[in-house]
């Protein structure tokens, strides 16, 4: 487990076995919820099950992750992540490289 103590409080990165946890996980899913215009996206939610999950939403998630995490993802990677947790795991894997 590692904790970046030099990062500002709201941007601190806490990782355990390459999984995003805590505030960073909540923030990512909250941002996806904003994109989908829903109240909440949970790790267990199937992204394709949301009415707003379309090609524009996928592109918006790509741009948000690039902006917030400096990670380049493809539409296929986003779609293949399938659930909220899958998206979190994808971002965690890419940040650990």
């Amino acid at each position: 487990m590692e904790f970046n103590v030099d990062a500002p409080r709201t941007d601190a990165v806490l990782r355990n076995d390459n999984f995003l946890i805590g505030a960073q996980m909540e923030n990512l899913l909250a941002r996806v919820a904003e994109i989908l215009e829903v109240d909440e996206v949970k790790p267990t939610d199937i992204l394709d099950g949301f009415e707003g999950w379309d090609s524009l939403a996928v592109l918006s998630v790509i741009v948000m992750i690039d902006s917030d995490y400096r990670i380049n993802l493809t539409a296929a990677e986003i779609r293949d992540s399938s659930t909220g947790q899958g998206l979190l795991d994808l971002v965690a894997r890419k940040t650990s490289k």
Side-chain angles (χ1 to χ4, degrees):
M1 185 180 293
E2 67 182 73
F3 184 68
N4 183 351
V5 294
D6 296 325
R9 233 177 80 159
T10 57
D11 294 331
V13 176
L14 181 61
R15 288 196 184 97
N16 184 5
D17 297 326
N18 294 328
F19 292 100
L20 296 177
I21 57 176
Q24 197 170 35
M25 177 173 70
E26 291 172 12
N27 184 53
L28 177 61
L29 293 181
R31 298 285 308 276
V32 173
E34 289 174 16
I35 290 167
L36 295 174
E37 298 179 349
V38 296
D39 292 334
E40 179 182 31
V41 173
K42 296 178 280 199
T44 56
D45 287 337
I46 297 171
L47 298 173
D48 196 33
F50 289 98
E51 184 177 329
W53 188 253
D54 57 15
S55 58
L56 182 57
V58 171
L59 289 173
S60 297
V61 169
I62 289 170
V63 170
M64 179 267 294
I65 290 173
D66 180 52
S67 175
D68 291 359
Y69 299 93
R70 303 286 183 233
I71 299 170
N72 295 314
L73 298 174
T74 67
E77 288 174 311
I78 298 290
R79 282 192 304 270
D80 289 347
S81 65
S82 152
T83 65
Q85 186 63 54
L87 186 59
L88 294 171
D89 294 344
L90 174 63
V91 172
R93 276 194 313 276
K94 296 286 188 163
T95 58
S96 67
K97 290 183 178 183

